[in-house]
Structure formats: C-alpha cells, structure tokens
Amino acid sequence: VRHESSALPVVHHSKYVCDLPPNHRFPMGKFPRVLQCLLGDQVITEKQVWVPEIASKDLLRCVHTEDYLDNFINGKISEQEQRRTGFPWGTVLAAEVALQRGLACSTAGGTHHAFPSYGSGFCLLNDLAVAAKYTMDNSPNSPSTKRKVLIVDLDVHQQGDGTAFIFKEEPFVFTFSVHCGKNFPLRKQQSDLDISVEDGLEDKDYLSTEAHLPWLLETFRPDLVLYDAGVDPHWEDELGRLRLTDQLYQRDLFVLKTVVKRGVPIAAVIGGGYSKDIDRLALRHSIVHRA
C-alpha cells in the first residue's frame, strides 16, 4: 500500500504503448495521453499514480493456454492470427488496490475479446479475465471460499466473445454486458446477463439499462466489481454506432456510486474508444477518472 496519498489510485505504466504501423486503426497513443490529461487538468497528482509490474507467464496461464502464451511471448503468432487481433496491462494491480482501498482506476485495460488460445479484436491478453481469476484464486480463505467477481462491461462491443466464454461455467464470476447488438463481434457468446441495444440509441434510453446493476449487487453479492468503462458508445466514436454524449459521466458516476455505497470494491478500466483525434479521445477516456 502506498501511504503518500489517500486519493484515488490510478494505475499507469509508460510501456502501455508499442509501435504500430502508420494509419493503424487502433489509437495506441491514447494511453499516455489519458494520464497527461488527468495531470494537466489537476484531476490527480503524481502521488496517485501506481506502476504495475509486467505480467508473468505464471499469472497469464490462469486464463490463457500454454501454446498461445509461448507463441505470443516468443513472437511466433501467425499472420492469420495477427489479422484476427488487429495488431499486458495493469488490471491485476488495479484489482488488488481496489480490494485494499475500495476504488481504483487504470489508464488502460478492457481487452475483453481475447480467448484462452487466441487474441481477437485489438485484444491480445484478456486482462479482465486474468484479474478476475487472480482475485478468486488468491482469496483469503481459498480454495474453500473464493472471492466472487462481477464484471460490468459497458464497452459498445459485447464482452461475451472473450470474458464470458472463459467464465461460462464459473459460478464465482458473473458477466454483465450492455452492447450494440449489430456491432462486433458478429458471432456473440452468452454472458450471464446480456443487454443488446439498437444502433443509434441515445443517452436517456441507454442510461435506463443501468437499472440492472443494483439488483445484480443484491442477488450475486460480489466481493469485487471489475468495470469496463468503454467510451465507444459515444456519438463521435469511429466504431461505436450509438449516439451517446458526454453524459457518459452520468453513466460512470452511477456505476461507481452504486457499487461504492454498498461497500463493494471496484476497479475500473478504460475499455474501447476509437478516434484519430487522440486528444479528444483521451479527454473522453478520462471521464471515468473524473467521476
């Protein structure tokens, strides 16, 4: 535990970025820009920044297959597999800090399309699944009593084709996804609760879907919530197809307040967001930290 600051812990690492080809669709530069945005606007100070260690192979093995990890780490992913991904972040630390402090946010994360044996949709390793599995396996009374984890995924793309597939037979993890039904992935998996919305949905109708959250907290009674606060439902997003405004702030505030007031720890990641204007995108991704 860091004692210098009692304010919101924000998880960030300078190596959240890697080189991509020119004009690549994934806006890799948004991750450091989110932190710069938060520091520049004095939302946070340097004392609030927590730096994760690189994820070990042993940690990643709790979700991903040995063959996939060997190929990934040793740079042996085939061209066909690379096309599927479209090209490890600190979500485990955010989960650990949330369990200590009640609330933590990352400046990256939400790579929910990665399966155990392959990556997909700009996602190479499934950070939400690894963090959930790590949290369960390292429960204080494990293995007799595992921690229960609720994953709230409000990225515009269905979480189920990765995270829900991994946990489809795991009773200690509940997957809840609100997503655009006609958007990626074409072939949906089944979350524990899927809310599929139509193209063009606006703020009021979208925010009404949050009514499920209090019920889930009361019935599932999680020990930790992992929150994917994707901003790709925004009307300016290049891959979103919904019509939300900066009322995303009200969405994030509702999720955080609803969970925190029940005394449940919550770790938030930024999820999806796509724009060629990195500064505007980073500002949009900082909404969850501001909330």
Side-chain angles (χ1 to χ4, degrees):
V1 179
R2 294 180 60 156
H3 297 286
E4 305 96 285
S5 174
S6 60
L8 172 71
V10 174
V11 177
H12 178 83
H13 199 290
S14 60
K15 293 185 178 178
Y16 279 172
V17 295
C18 63
D19 292 333
L20 291 176
N23 302 316
H24 195 282
R25 292 194 76 178
F26 188 80
M28 184 65 76
K30 68 183 184 179
F31 301 122
R33 208 69 63 88
V34 170
L35 183 70
Q36 292 163 13
C37 181
L38 293 170
L39 292 170
D41 288 352
Q42 299 183 327
V43 178
I44 65 169
T45 68
E46 289 279 3
K47 287 184 176 181
Q48 290 170 248
V49 180
W50 295 54
V51 180
E53 297 177 348
I54 190 167
S56 69
K57 189 175 176 183
D58 282 344
L59 171 63
L60 300 174
R61 196 184 284 123
C62 73
V63 163
H64 294 285
T65 65
E66 195 78 30
D67 284 348
Y68 177 59
L69 290 175
D70 282 339
N71 289 335
F72 175 76
I73 291 168
N74 296 315
K76 296 178 181 177
I77 300 294
S78 69
E79 283 191 30
Q80 182 181 357
E81 289 172 311
Q82 289 177 42
R83 283 196 295 273
R84 180 190 273 166
T85 64
F87 13 68
W89 294 324
T91 306
V92 171
L93 178 60
E96 285 190 309
V97 178
L99 289 167
Q100 295 173 9
R101 301 273 292 270
L103 174 63
C105 294
S106 177
T107 60
T111 50
H112 55 179
H113 297 305
F115 280 70
S117 58
Y118 60 89
S120 177
F122 301 141
C123 301
L124 301 174
L125 301 169
N126 194 316
D127 64 308
L128 291 165
V130 171
K133 192 77 166 61
Y134 175 84
T135 299
M136 285 193 303
D137 291 348
N138 290 275
S139 301
N141 299 316
S142 186
S144 58
T145 306
K146 295 181 183 177
R147 286 194 182 100
K148 295 168 70 176
V149 181
L150 168 63
I151 301 177
V152 177
D153 197 320
L154 303 187
D155 187 291
V156 81
H157 305 107
Q158 195 218 23
Q159 76 164 335
D161 92 312
T163 317
F165 175 86
I166 291 166
F167 293 121
K168 61 184 178 181
E169 296 179 359
E170 174 51 73
F172 286 86
V173 176
F174 192 102
T175 52
F176 169 41
S177 176
V178 179
H179 54 267
C180 180
K182 294 179 181 177
N183 209 320
F184 178 90
L186 178 63
R187 183 181 299 167
K188 305 289 193 291
Q189 300 289 333
Q190 187 171 343
S191 306
D192 291 307
L193 177 59
D194 282 306
I195 306 296
S196 176
V197 302
E198 296 296 320
D199 287 16
L201 194 74
E202 298 184 354
D203 289 327
K204 184 178 179 182
D205 289 333
Y206 180 89
L207 293 174
S208 70
T209 64
E210 295 185 333
H212 296 277
L213 183 58
W215 172 79
L216 287 177
L217 292 169
E218 289 164 15
T219 55
F220 183 64
R221 302 180 69 84
D223 299 295
L224 174 70
V225 173
L226 298 177
Y227 175 38
D228 186 332
V231 297
D232 39 13
H234 197 274
W235 71 272
E236 288 186 328
D237 194 87
E238 294 173 3
L239 302 180
R241 299 170 69 162
L242 299 186
R243 300 287 301 169
L244 273 64
T245 68
D246 288 347
Q247 286 291 303
L248 286 166
Y249 178 86
Q250 296 302 325
R251 176 197 72 173
D252 293 345
L253 190 62
F254 176 83
V255 171
L256 296 170
K257 287 181 72 172
T258 301
V259 175
V260 168
K261 76 179 182 182
R262 284 169 170 75
V264 180
I266 178 168
V269 297
I270 68 170
Y274 305 91
S275 173
K276 292 182 177 67
D277 189 331
I278 296 294
D279 289 327
R280 287 177 69 85
L281 180 58
L283 189 63
R284 203 172 301 146
H285 273 305
S286 74
I287 287 173
V288 67
H289 306 83
R290 297 167 193 269

